[in-house]
Amino acid sequence: MAFLQHSNVGLAILFFMWVWGIIEHYVNKHYSSKYKPAVRGPNTRTTNSVSVVVRTLEPLPIFKACLVRWLENKPLEIIIATTHEHLEKIGKLVKEVIQETREYSTKIRIIVANKGARNQFIAGVLKAKGEIVATSDNHILWGPEYLANMLPCFDDPKVGAAGPQIGIHIPKERESTITAWEVAAARLAHRERGKASAAIMMHVVARWCWILPSTTAIYRTRILQNPGFVKGYLNDYWNGIKFDAGDDTWISRYLLRNNWIITAQRTEETNVARTVKRTSDYLGQILRWERSTIQSYLRTLTEIPQIYKHAIIVFKTYERLLRSPILLIHLFAWIDSFISHPVITMVFLSYYIYYKYKDLNRFFAFYPYMRKYWWVVIVQDFSALYINVHAMLTLSNPAWKPNVD
């Protein structure tokens, strides 16, 4: 204890972390300001070149509304991959939608596949006739011009896949009865909202994306139908365990390994919304996401030599993998600094509290009905250490639950 009372180590670390955070903020802001979305040109494909592939089991209440939104985009076809167990219910729902939307010529096909996220995905992809495959989970709401404004990405022949900004959808009738879990999910999704973000910075600086969420994305069909892709995708193992979840991390690594660019399209027209978990299932979901992310970053180091094309990719890869040690060092610094230099540490703390307060107000400006759960937002913001350590200790857990909320 006597050592800590005269230590400058914690204060030095706090100062370093403070400077690091400021530099990172302004680097993100500077490069994000240079971002330009792809725009339609004379050679941009039409939506009639797109096959929409959706995998689903038990259809969610929002599925019908999603299907209508996909139809509004006027793709060539919509392929719904399900199982025998759910075929009748899906078929009935599709018939209802067709009767209510006779103005659309898009063909809707329902195919039966073996149960499993990857089996259903590949079954749908191999049936696709369009030059482009647009994927969507069964709870994703597109805007009416989503596809038309995503397709310009493929005017660049080096682009293999593209993804939009994904927000959340909270039905109006739920705003008064929203759960703490939904608020936590909204906060997590909100972190990349706005013009300045680490993801956009990486796109501008290095045209790089580690993981393209398959929640909704678009790909060149020939990539997904390649026999090598299909074989590898269906035989993804970690520590001897065959994985069904985390397929978006595998697809992303495949694209990067084969020198395809994964691009980001950020326009008002391409923003999409997804539903979120209403129960404690959310915790299991984010643990699964974190496990998949860590596994993929570790594999990136050994499978994708392209990460060494730019120093910032290497730095950010290791920074992500060392999240827990960095957070523990930061925690130690606060404790040590409070003991050794309480006054200066209180100044640092006041600074962080002030900016956290501003950040919370920006969040609640978007979601005013979530303000009653302000404490949940704070817990979510400081949950990274628990989530990361828990995920590290359970990396070989393949647990996955389909969306049933």
Side-chain angles (χ1 to χ4, degrees):
M1 183 62 71
F3 166 74
L4 289 178
Q5 287 176 342
H6 298 90
S7 171
N8 292 321
V9 174
L11 186 60
I13 293 173
L14 279 188
F15 180 77
F16 173 77
M17 293 288 192
W18 174 66
V19 172
W20 184 355
I22 289 176
I23 292 173
E24 191 169 57
H25 169 76
Y26 282 103
V27 166
N28 288 347
K29 186 175 180 179
H30 171 73
Y31 284 106
S32 294
S33 69
K34 296 180 180 294
Y35 169 77
K36 294 180 179 178
V39 296
R40 293 193 64 82
N43 297 319
T44 301
R45 293 166 178 82
T46 66
T47 59
N48 196 45
S49 65
V50 180
S51 294
V52 178
V53 175
V54 180
R55 51 192 169 185
T56 188
L57 296 174
E58 179 72 22
L60 302 174
I62 199 173
F63 183 70
K64 185 175 179 180
C66 294
L67 184 52
V68 173
R69 293 286 189 93
W70 302 330
L71 282 170
E72 287 175 352
N73 278 263
K74 301 177 181 178
L76 172 67
E77 59 185 351
I78 297 174
I79 302 170
I80 302 172
T82 188
T83 62
H84 277 292
E85 180 184 357
H86 302 284
L87 181 61
E88 184 177 351
K89 185 171 288 188
I90 297 293
K92 182 180 178 182
L93 190 149
V94 167
K95 286 179 181 178
E96 290 177 7
V97 170
I98 291 174
Q99 290 174 353
E100 296 170 10
T101 57
R102 294 184 182 276
E103 67 270 29
Y104 301 115
S105 59
T106 298
K107 184 177 181 180
I108 302 177
R109 290 195 287 165
I110 306 173
I111 63 171
V112 173
N114 293 328
K115 185 177 181 179
R118 300 200 190 202
N119 286 328
Q120 290 172 239
F121 179 80
I122 285 297
V125 162
L126 292 178
K127 295 289 186 180
K129 297 178 181 178
E131 195 179 349
I132 300 294
V133 163
T135 63
S136 180
D137 283 354
N138 60 3
H139 59 114
I140 306 298
L141 291 167
W142 293 354
E145 298 295 322
Y146 168 74
L147 284 181
N149 286 277
M150 288 296 295
L151 287 170
C153 297
F154 294 93
D155 291 354
D156 182 345
K158 296 179 182 178
V159 170
Q165 182 164 280
I166 303 171
I168 66 160
H169 171 71
I170 303 290
K172 270 283 183 186
E173 62 272 15
R174 283 204 52 76
E175 290 183 3
S176 60
T177 58
I178 195 168
T179 68
W181 301 106
E182 289 171 285
V183 174
R187 180 60 172 176
L188 184 65
H190 192 81
R191 63 186 177 181
E192 287 292 331
R193 191 182 185 103
K195 295 181 180 178
S197 72
I200 293 299
M201 181 274 291
M202 291 301 299
H203 172 77
V204 173
V205 174
R207 299 203 78 184
W208 186 266
C209 172
W210 286 273
I211 301 170
L212 176 64
S214 61
T215 302
T216 190
I218 58 175
Y219 309 87
R220 293 186 189 273
T221 304
R222 62 188 177 91
I223 296 174
L224 304 184
Q225 292 182 342
N226 181 288
F229 174 93
V230 175
K231 182 178 179 180
Y233 179 79
L234 293 176
N235 294 278
D236 181 21
Y237 289 85
W238 173 271
N239 197 25
I241 299 171
K242 189 175 183 179
F243 270 15
D244 191 38
D247 60 324
D248 48 4
T249 63
W250 190 93
I251 295 173
S252 300
R253 292 196 308 276
Y254 179 90
L255 290 164
L256 295 171
R257 191 166 57 247
N258 287 278
N259 293 307
W260 289 105
I261 290 172
I262 302 172
T263 194
Q265 184 74 334
R266 300 289 188 269
T267 69
E268 285 298 321
E269 293 82 6
T270 58
N271 289 342
V272 303
R274 63 176 176 86
T275 60
V276 295
K277 298 288 186 183
R278 301 177 182 177
T279 67
S280 58
D281 284 348
Y282 167 72
L283 185 58
Q285 183 183 55
I286 59 174
L287 283 169
R288 175 172 60 82
W289 288 346
E290 184 70 3
R291 279 192 291 266
S292 291
T293 298
I294 295 169
Q295 291 160 359
S296 194
Y297 272 67
L298 287 170
R299 287 171 152 185
T300 295
L301 294 176
T302 58
E303 297 178 9
I304 306 173
Q306 289 87 341
I307 70 167
Y308 299 101
K309 73 177 184 178
H310 202 294
I312 197 168
I313 301 175
V314 179
F315 174 76
K316 286 292 184 180
T317 301
Y318 280 99
E319 181 189 44
R320 183 63 175 84
L321 287 171
L322 294 173
R323 173 175 283 186
S324 285
I326 291 171
L327 289 171
L328 286 170
I329 291 170
H330 207 169
L331 181 61
F332 160 79
W334 278 107
I335 296 171
D336 178 58
S337 188
F338 260 120
I339 295 171
S340 304
H341 304 279
V343 176
I344 299 175
T345 306
M346 283 302 298
V347 173
F348 269 112
L349 183 60
S350 299
Y351 169 85
Y352 283 113
I353 289 175
Y354 171 71
Y355 279 99
K356 176 59 67 177
Y357 177 76
K358 289 181 66 176
D359 182 41
L360 291 178
N361 277 335
R362 284 192 294 268
F363 175 74
F364 291 129
F366 277 99
Y367 306 108
Y369 53 91
M370 296 184 183
R371 191 176 289 273
K372 63 182 178 181
Y373 283 116
W374 59 269
W375 57 273
V376 173
V377 177
I378 294 174
V379 170
Q380 174 64 52
D381 285 354
F382 291 97
S383 66
L385 181 60
Y386 166 76
I387 295 298
N388 187 258
V389 171
H390 193 296
M392 280 283 194
L393 295 174
T394 57
L395 275 184
S396 296
N397 182 354
W400 173 75
K401 290 177 68 176
N403 283 307
V404 294
D405 288 355

